[in-house]
Amino acid sequence: MNDVFLNGDFIAAEHAKVSVFDRGFLLGDGVYEVIPVYASQCFRLESHLNRLQRSLDAVRMTNPLSGSQWRTMIEQLIERNGGGDQSVYLQVTRGVAPRDHVFPEGVEPTAFAMSNPLQAVPEDYKSKGIAAITVPDIRWQNCHIKAITLLPNSLLKQQAQDVGAQEALLIRDGYLTEGSASNAYAVIDGKIYTAPKDEKVLPGITRELILELAASANITVKEQAVTEQQLRDADEIWVSSSTKEVLPVTTLDGVAVSSGKPGEVWKKIDVLYQQYKQQGGF
Ligand code: PDD
């Protein structure tokens, strides 16, 4: 079994134990990151560590490790678990304290990291596209924070799974926000639309790269949320995340998206994305 990192030490996963009084366990009081690793190299690590810091600041938690400590630890974790393509998970909780909604004083945060083999994206998700459903966005008002409290996201993704779809696209006040575990995009008349970076969506690291790649290819991006109707009428729909990259959605609520095939703009971005991965040095 793999080694994990817990509060300063590397230990075998089966020996890693956290107190039942940890606020992550009792209150879901913690934040996290998921970082893809290609050929032993973290993808866009700087951006992930910056977002972790922003999540910690937003929930008034201190960062238990410095940037260089996170980097060194992550490098060692990848190495200990055999290198190659992995998915690194980081979690910080407010720590161990008697159960109380009010923040405890003088408590050390719990720092945890694990790494697992990166699951390859199934080939037909790209050749045929995936199915998505629309659901009301039942989450809270601070979706920009990468909080471990994922019960709403989990319920929504399960709802998709229950009807044979791979993702749930979330509608808030008539507009598409994002997916249950992904950012979402609509292509309309050759332009890419994605919700702006505000408290309604997670500022995805993959999203950040997609916008850079689109700019490099002179494809117009509008950081503007689309309405549910615009979504249904879109030429293309995509979702993106660190573990799934960029995937075309070809069926929405059981209805084909445009031609029902992965679109041309998605194909361009996917080619650029794969080239970017190949280059290394991210
Ligand atoms: N989730 N929006 C939500 C709600 C997400 O959970 C994720 C990713 C994203 C995409 O962010 P990024 O491109 O930085 O991975 C957007 C991760 C992968 C997870 O929870 O496992």
Side-chain angles (χ1 to χ4, degrees), residues 119-166:
Q119 299 295 323
V121 177
E123 200 34 57
D124 62 339
Y125 281 14
K126 290 175 71 166
S127 58
K128 296 200 178 96
I130 62 166
I133 57 168
T134 52
V135 290
D137 191 344
I138 56 169
R139 304 171 304 160
W140 67 335
Q141 310 276 2
N142 287 302
C143 297
H144 60 299
I145 302 171
K146 203 159 170 61
I148 60 171
T149 20
L150 288 175
L151 185 55
N153 305 62
S154 180
L155 283 167
L156 296 170
K157 181 88 159 211
Q158 186 59 44
Q159 223 176 307
Q161 181 87 17
D162 290 346
V163 295
Q166 284 74 41

Side-chain angles (χ1 to χ4, degrees), residues 32 34 48 51 139 146 153 178-183 202 204-207 240-243:
Y32 77 106
V34 178
H48 282 280
R51 186 174 63 187
R139 304 171 304 160
K146 203 159 170 61
N153 305 62
E178 57 180 343
S180 71
S182 58
N183 288 113
L202 185 80
I205 308 305
T206 320
R207 173 190 184 280
S240 77
S241 78
S242 291
T243 46

Side-chain angles (χ1 to χ4, degrees), residues 5 45-46 49-50 52-53 56 62-74 90 92 109 111:
F5 170 87
L45 180 56
E46 184 78 28
L49 292 179
N50 288 341
L52 177 65
Q53 185 63 56
L56 288 165
T62 41
N63 196 333
L65 275 73
S66 68
S68 67
Q69 284 172 327
W70 279 115
R71 283 169 188 282
T72 310
M73 181 278 285
I74 292 167
L90 312 178
V92 181

Side-chain angles (χ1 to χ4, degrees), residues 21-32 55-56 59-61 91-97 100-104 109-110 140 146-149:
F21 295 106
D22 193 281
R23 289 177 61 95
F25 179 63
L26 290 178
L27 302 164
D29 185 2
V31 298
Y32 77 106
S55 294
L56 288 165
V59 300
R60 296 158 62 185
M61 246 183 236
Q91 179 173 311
V92 181
T93 75
R94 205 176 301 275
V96 178
D100 189 342
H101 288 60
V102 175
F103 298 162
T110 301
W140 67 335
K146 203 159 170 61
I148 60 171
T149 20

Side-chain angles (χ1 to χ4, degrees), residues 43-44 192 205-221 238 246 265-266 268-277 279:
F43 199 62
R44 300 232 150 182
I192 304 169
I205 308 305
T206 320
R207 173 190 184 280
E208 182 180 276
L209 176 59
I210 290 169
L211 300 202
E212 284 174 28
L213 296 174
S216 74
N218 288 318
I219 302 169
T220 304
V221 177
W238 321 333
V246 198
V265 185
W266 171 79
K268 271 191 208 162
I269 292 292
D270 186 52
V271 166
L272 293 171
Y273 196 93
Q274 299 310 322
Q275 279 171 357
Y276 182 90
K277 266 173 64 184
Q279 282 164 13

